[in-house]
Amino acid sequence: SLQFRYRKFMRRTLTGSLVVLIAVSYLVQLLVPGYEEKMALNRILVDSGDYYRLATVALVHGGFLHLGFNLYALYVLGLPVEAYFGRFRYVLILAASLLGGSLLSIYMNPINVFSIGASGMIFGLFASLALIGKRVGVEWRSILVVVGINFALGFMIGGVDWHGHIGGLIGGTLATLVLNGTK
């Protein structure tokens, strides 16, 4: 049954658990006034001690499409990276990507800018999969095309924190290079 397969999937992958966590957080965002503001990333607030925002930025999103694209990307990119590295190393790649994206975002954006979304972490997964793609049966050139399209859309649409995307790419690349060397 569908319910059985869903439960089996959730028990087996951290990626599945993250998809559910972020989706539930978005539901909370819709229902609880002030939740998004409490979780969003902003340099002034981080500088004043709200360091948790470096991570919680991934839990809030700017609409259903933003959420949907990020969750789909997390699922598609995360599963092969998690399978290749295992949970512990996968968590390190996610953390480095998220932290890299958050740090570059707060240091490159104007101080009054608030950022939301899991895109920094997602772009780190793009980088990781591009580096290990051949070993897991993924064509890395196609990943670079998707990353390029995402960057272009960010500039064309506006309101996209491309600094966070670049920071995520850097964090994911560095973590993957280090962890793949120890594998």
Side-chain angles (χ1 to χ4, degrees):
S1 80
L2 180 61
Q3 186 177 18
F4 174 75
R5 283 185 283 164
Y6 171 76
R7 284 188 194 157
K8 189 175 175 183
F9 166 76
M10 293 309 301
R11 278 197 310 264
R12 293 206 171 147
T13 67
L14 179 59
T15 300
S17 298
L18 285 173
V19 166
V20 171
L21 174 66
I22 294 169
V24 168
S25 180
Y26 183 70
L27 183 59
V28 172
Q29 178 183 339
L30 295 176
L31 298 174
V32 177
Y35 179 77
E36 180 179 337
E37 292 79 13
K38 189 70 175 160
M39 305 300 237
L41 184 65
N42 172 268
R43 182 181 359 178
I44 293 173
L45 297 171
V46 171
D47 285 347
S48 67
D50 287 355
Y51 303 114
Y52 67 90
R53 292 173 182 271
L54 297 170
T56 60
V57 63
L59 298 175
V60 289
H61 286 78
F64 189 72
L65 282 177
H66 185 211
L67 174 73
F69 283 127
N70 276 349
L71 292 184
Y72 177 73
L74 174 59
Y75 178 77
V76 170
L77 302 168
L79 287 177
V81 174
E82 181 178 1
Y84 179 78
F85 281 105
R87 281 188 183 189
F88 180 72
R89 287 186 170 132
Y90 178 60
V91 167
L92 294 177
I93 291 167
L94 291 173
S97 302
L98 181 55
L99 187 60
S102 293
L103 289 174
L104 197 60
S105 175
I106 62 173
Y107 289 112
M108 297 301 289
N109 282 323
I111 62 171
N112 62 331
V113 168
F114 281 79
S115 295
I116 55 174
S119 299
M121 187 171 69
I122 301 300
F123 273 78
L125 289 176
F126 274 127
S128 185
L129 196 54
L131 291 169
I132 65 164
K134 195 172 199 176
R135 294 182 192 108
V136 296
V138 175
E139 173 56 45
W140 64 270
R141 287 182 195 104
S142 61
I143 295 169
L144 294 179
V145 169
V146 173
V147 170
I149 290 169
N150 275 284
F151 272 124
L153 284 174
F155 289 110
M156 292 169 20
I157 295 171
V160 174
D161 184 0
W162 60 271
H163 298 107
H165 294 174
I166 292 173
L169 279 170
I170 294 168
T173 298
L174 293 175
T176 300
L177 289 172
V178 168
L179 294 171
N180 207 28
T182 62
K183 189 163 173 34

